[in-house]
Every structure is written in structure tokens, then in C-alpha cells.
Amino acid sequence: MANKQFDVIVIGGGPGGYVAAIRAAQLGFNVACIDEWKNGKGGPALGGTCTNIGCIPSKALLQSSEHFEHAGKHFADHGIKVEGLGLDIDKMLGRKDAVVKQNNDGITYLFKKNKITFFHGRGAFAKASGAGYELKVTGAAEETIEGKHIIVATGSNPRALPGADFDEESILSNDGALRIPSVPKKLGLIGSGVIGLEMGSVWRRLGSEVTVLEALPTFLGAVDEQIAKEAHKAFVKQGLKIELGVKVGEVKSGKKGVTVAWTNAKGEAQTLEVDKLIVSIGRVPNTIGLNPEAVGLKLDERGAILVDDECRTSLPNVWAIGDVVRGPMLAHKAEEEGVAVAERIAGQHGHVNFNTIPWVIYTSPEIAWVGQTEQQLKAEGRAYKAGTFPFLANGRARALGDTTGMVKFLADATTDEILGVHIVGPMASELISEAVVAMEFKASAEDIARICHAHPSLSEATKEAALAVDKRTLNF
Ligand code: FAD
Ligand code: NAI
């Protein structure tokens, strides 16, 4: 018999889990959350991959490295002289760690505020019980607890290349990539996906010579082709070496660095010698130590917990959300699922619209999109109209000194309903929200074109791209 009983127990304190716990507590449930993440001192560090070795620290380093690049390369354009520019990498990494800690502490505070019981340790299914399920907690906290509803939010882990395990010294996952102690002269990246481009940008800006080896023949295949082309051009101009259509062979790690044997798109054998190698070839759902077998919780062929559209698993009152289930591995997707599940447990109609989940790649230029790409619409045979507007013709972008890229609208040829919005350029991560709201409200391109946007602002490029759908831009 478990000594503590809860209405809802959440396993995992990442963005999916901690938000689910907060929403369930708001709805009046007695909630517990189990999370095993340890900070450098062995204490708890709520926030999961996202807060500890993902979204937050990567954005902190992207910001610091961008400041460095601006100071070295762009301040002069503004008439600002910088002499003796230098890098204190310890301080930069220390700042990043402090930003992470602020976020860890913020979640701890939110748990207290919402009266959520926190267990620092690993949660594993023990057995189905009268009231629900018994979970065994091991680690700093050691006990058996019982919950009527269980929400599994155990996240994902980086996928390793076969035969090249992560040692986080020479062969790095996102974890090691965020704490390289000195700028490597030569840095290799396997995979030109989201992590590859973000981490490649950080270390290139800080001075590394970066080579990215990508298996697919197309660059950023999931991104609208026109946007991906523009981004590729910008990254190559910045100095990222991107090799597409490669086949990665043997990876050897020694005292002097890492050697990667690879074949280029023409089938020619090549060797890449680097000081550090970041492997970013996707992530795998994490159920390590969860003991799903104890209760017969079903996984799919990828090892993800099998769920329906509403995050119900194969077991009654067991739910799963975030990276450990199907769908995009994004923090905000995990959060939305967490809120929706808590509301469903309360008998409400939780809802997640997969068609309006935005994507952002925080490089410079940033890449952001929502909805369908032009190639998807073509493949579907859907009649559409496209409108683009370049930042080159936007006053605010000129004032910023950052005119790379464009905003692109795709709208239904007959109804004018917005089907997709794609942005490459400054602050794309912020600009995309307007498009998400518009699509949630089933707006037409004309709706955006008729809304007053502040001048001068980057958002005017959004309005102009909407006008471009009807071939009536005002400033281009
Ligand atoms: P996680 O954040 O992985 O959290 C799972 C938690 O569960 C962890 O704390 C883990 O320790 C704990 N856990 C696992 N098993 C157990 C167990 N049995 N018992 C107890 N605890 C357990 N997404 C974005 O949307 N924007 C970004 O900018 C972004 N940047 C990223 C950058 C990098 C470098 C990486 C790697 C990822 C990034 N992501 C980003 C993706 C994002 O981090 C994930 O989509 C998100 O963290 C998923 O949330 P989650 O709650 O499902 O899982
Ligand atoms: P990814 O799926 O974005 O990219 C992996 C890339 O590696 C692909 O282009 C793939 O073709 C390539 N690849 C796979 N196997 C390969 C091989 N053997 N050799 C060479 N290339 C190979 O995965 P990534 O970058 O690891 O990121 C994982 C996930 O984390 C992302 O999909 C995203 O969901 C999340 N993330 C989100 C961020 C954001 O929202 N800004 C930032 C970073 C990560």
C-alpha cells in the first residue's frame, strides 16, 4: 500500500510535465511531479531538457555569440569603434548557467505556489492498484506513491551515430555542445537540422571553422524551399561549410580530436578532421527506467509511448505527452499537450491544433514558419496564391542593419484563407505569432493586409507579404 496518494502524478518535470502539473493543480487536483534531473551539485533542476540542456541554454549562447559577432563585424557600420575585443568563454558559459538556474528556480517557485508535491528521483510504474497506479520513486526521494491519473512526460534523448557513442569530450550531444570549455579551432557537425544549425552558428560566431555533414540532398527539407534556399545562402556567406547528400562512415576519436570518414554527394571518399564533433541527427523518445512493462503500457516501433489524438495511452487514466509521444519535438507542443490533458482529466475539452504549431530556428537570420509549405501544397494539388515581401524594403530592417530574408504568405486561391506563413529574417521568432493567431482564427491574407501595423516595424513586412498575395504591395 502506497503511503502517499494523489489525484494526478506527472512523471517528468520538463515543459510538458511541469506545465501539466501546474494546470492540473489550478483545476483543483492534488498533484505530484517526479523528476530525476540533477544540477551540478546533485540537487533538483526542474525544466527538463528544454531548461537544462536545450531551448534555454542554447538561446543564451546564441545571444552571447551574436553580441560578439556584432561587436566584431557590425558595430563599425554604426560608427562604433571597438578596440581590444576579446572573449571570456568561462564568463559566457557561466552566464548561460545562471540563466538556466533562474529558470530552474522559477519552476520550483511555481510548484510551491500551486502546492504541487515534488519528488526528486526516478519514477517507475510498479503495478496497477485499486485507485489507479502505484509508482516507485528512487533517488533522493525513495517511496511508493499512488495516483488515480498518471501523466508520462519523460522526454527524449539524443540519437548517437552507430559506433560513435557520446563521450561529451570529443563526440558531443547537445549536452556537451553547450559547454565546450574553449573555442575549438575546427568543429564538425553531423546533421544540418535544428540543433546542427543553432550550435554551428554559436561556435562559428565565436571563431570555430565549422563543417556540417548532412545525409539528405536537400537543405532543411521540412522548410519551405524558397525560405530554405535563402537561409542556406546566408549561412554559407557567414562561413558555415554545409555538405549535403553525404554518407558518414567510421568515426574515430583520439587524443588529437575526431576523424570522420565520409562520402560526398558524388560518391568520393573524404575525411574530416576536427577538434570536436557534435552529432545532431535527431532524438529518440525516452522511457529508460520507466518500467512500462509492469503495467503493460504500449510503445510504438520507435519506442514512443503509443497515444491517440488526445494523448490517451493504451491504459485507462494513463496519459503521455511531449517528446515521448508522436509529433514534433518542441517545448511548446509539449506544453500545449500538458494543458490539454489536465483539462481532459477534469472533464473539460482540452485542445491542441497541430496545424498551427509554429517552428522556429534561432539562427541569424532566424527561420520561422506555421502551416503548410509551398511544396506541400503543390504535392496536395491545392490551388494557392503566394505573396512575398523582402526585409530589404522594410524601413525598420534597414535601421537595424539586418535586411536579409523575407516574409512569405500562402493563401487558398479561392477563399484567400491563410494556409502557411514562412519567414526568414530578423526576429522571425516573434513575427510568426501574428501568423499563428491569424491561422487559429481562420483569417484570410486580406484580413492581415487590412490590419494597421506600427511603423516602422518588422511586422510591416508581414502586412506587405499579405498584400503581395493580391499583388498590391505598397513599398515594393
Ligand atoms: P523533457 O524536456 O525532455 O523533460 C523530461 C524530464 O523527465 C527530464 O527532466 C527527465 O530527467 C525526466 N525524466 C525522464 N524519465 C524520468 C523518470 N522515469 N522519472 C523521473 N523523471 C524522468 N524546443 C523548442 O520548442 N524551442 C527551442 O528553442 C528548442 N531548443 C532546443 C535546443 C536543444 C539543444 C534541444 C536538445 C532541444 C530543443 N528543443 C526546443 C526541444 C525541447 O527541448 C523539447 O521538445 C522539450 O524539452 C520536450 O519537453 P518534455 O517535457 O516532453 O521532455
Ligand atoms: P533534426 O531532426 O532537426 O535534424 C537531424 C538532421 O540530421 C536531419 O537533417 C537528418 O537528415 C540528419 N541526419 C540524420 N542521420 C544522419 C546521418 N547518419 N548522417 C548525416 N546526417 C544525418 O534533429 P536535431 O537537430 O538533432 O534536433 C532534434 C530535435 O530537437 C529537433 O527536431 C527539434 O524538434 C528539437 N529542437 C528544436 C529547436 C527549436 O525549436 N529551435 C532547437 C533544437 C532542437
Side-chain angles (χ1 to χ4, degrees), residues 59 159 161 190-196 198 213-216 248 280-283 329-330 359-362:
K59 266 81 255 179
R159 188 154 75 84
L161 271 175
I190 312 286
S192 72
V194 197
I195 295 181
E198 290 188 355
L213 302 180
E214 165 60 46
L216 291 179
V248 174
S280 48
I281 56 169
R283 298 179 61 83
M329 289 185 168
L330 295 173
W359 274 85
V360 178
I361 307 178
Y362 293 81

Side-chain angles (χ1 to χ4, degrees), residues 12 15-16 35-36 48-50 54-55 59 121 123 154-155 174 323 329-332:
D35 187 84
E36 64 178 344
T49 301
C50 174
C55 326
K59 266 81 255 179
T154 46
N174 54 295
D323 279 14
M329 289 185 168
L330 295 173
H332 41 284

Side-chain angles (χ1 to χ4, degrees), residues 14-307:
Y18 91 75
V19 167
I22 291 173
R23 185 69 189 116
Q26 283 175 346
L27 289 162
F29 294 115
N30 176 20
V31 182
C33 177
I34 314 167
D35 187 84
E36 64 178 344
W37 204 288
K38 289 188 185 133
N39 62 23
K41 293 176 187 155
L46 278 163
T49 301
C50 174
T51 302
N52 291 295
I53 53 168
C55 326
I56 299 299
S58 60
K59 266 81 255 179
L61 288 186
L62 278 156
Q63 192 61 56
S64 299
S65 59
E66 194 163 4
H67 283 324
F68 182 66
E69 179 150 271
H70 278 302
K73 295 189 180 157
H74 305 303
F75 275 12
D77 299 340
H78 295 259
I80 302 168
K81 289 185 188 161
V82 181
E83 278 162 24
L85 180 69
L87 200 57
D88 182 344
I89 194 82
D90 284 347
K91 180 138 194 195
M92 193 180 281
L93 296 178
R95 176 189 175 274
K96 178 251 321 173
D97 293 340
V99 172
V100 167
K101 187 167 182 310
Q102 282 166 6
N103 283 274
N104 298 141
D105 293 349
I107 302 166
T108 305
Y109 160 78
L110 291 170
F111 272 19
K112 284 198 183 115
K113 181 181 156 198
N114 287 285
K115 301 189 174 50
I116 294 162
T117 307
F118 173 58
F119 294 93
H120 188 211
R122 173 169 284 183
F125 281 103
K127 60 176 185 185
S129 61
Y133 298 87
E134 271 189 24
L135 303 180
K136 198 167 169 354
V137 184
T138 48
E142 296 261 353
E143 46 197 313
T144 301
I145 60 177
E146 189 176 29
K148 286 185 202 150
H149 286 265
I150 310 295
I151 304 176
V152 182
T154 46
S156 63
N157 290 317
R159 188 154 75 84
L161 271 175
D165 290 344
F166 297 115
D167 58 20
E168 306 299 359
E169 290 289 331
S170 304
I171 304 178
L172 315 174
S173 70
N174 54 295
D175 183 7
L178 288 160
R179 51 184 173 86
I180 306 178
S182 60
V183 180
K185 195 165 173 312
K186 290 188 172 182
L187 175 69
L189 277 127
I190 312 286
S192 72
V194 197
I195 295 181
L197 292 173
E198 290 188 355
M199 288 297 99
S201 295
V202 165
W203 294 105
R204 181 201 58 73
R205 290 171 191 164
L206 298 180
S208 294
E209 190 186 303
V210 179
T211 306
V212 189
L213 302 180
E214 165 60 46
L216 291 179
T218 43
F219 179 67
L220 285 177
V223 175
D224 184 272
E225 266 171 25
Q226 193 178 0
I227 298 293
K229 256 191 206 149
E230 187 80 8
H232 185 262
K233 211 167 61 189
F235 297 144
V236 170
K237 196 169 155 205
Q238 288 163 6
L240 272 190
K241 276 193 215 153
I242 305 170
E243 298 283 350
L244 300 173
V246 315
K247 201 165 178 310
V248 174
E250 197 184 9
V251 177
K252 276 194 208 148
S253 169
K255 278 203 182 112
K256 285 197 176 155
V258 186
T259 309
V260 182
W262 60 285
T263 314
N264 68 15
K266 292 182 200 148
E268 296 158 345
Q270 309 281 331
T271 308
L272 176 71
E273 287 183 358
V274 289
D275 303 304
K276 306 270 180 196
L277 182 73
I278 299 174
V279 178
S280 48
I281 56 169
R283 298 179 61 83
V284 286
N286 170 38
T287 53
I288 298 169
L290 183 67
N291 201 18
E293 309 81 27
V295 286
L297 182 65
K298 284 197 185 133
L299 310 185
D300 68 16
E301 62 289 345
R302 286 172 47 247
I305 295 177
L306 200 64
V307 287

Side-chain angles (χ1 to χ4, degrees), residues 389 407 409 434 445 447-454 458-469 472-474:
F389 188 82
V407 181
F409 265 65
E434 180 180 7
D447 287 329
I448 299 297
R450 288 195 175 275
I451 290 172
C452 181
H453 289 67
L458 296 170
S459 71
E460 286 173 293
T462 308
K463 177 189 172 100
E464 290 273 9
L467 280 165
V469 169
R472 53 188 176 96
T473 51
L474 297 164

Side-chain angles (χ1 to χ4, degrees), residues 24 147 149 153 159 219 254 277 320 337 376 384 391 410 415 427 474:
H149 286 265
R159 188 154 75 84
F219 179 67
L277 182 73
E337 286 183 334
Q376 282 173 329
Y384 66 91
F391 284 107
L410 296 166
T415 64
M427 302 307 280
L474 297 164

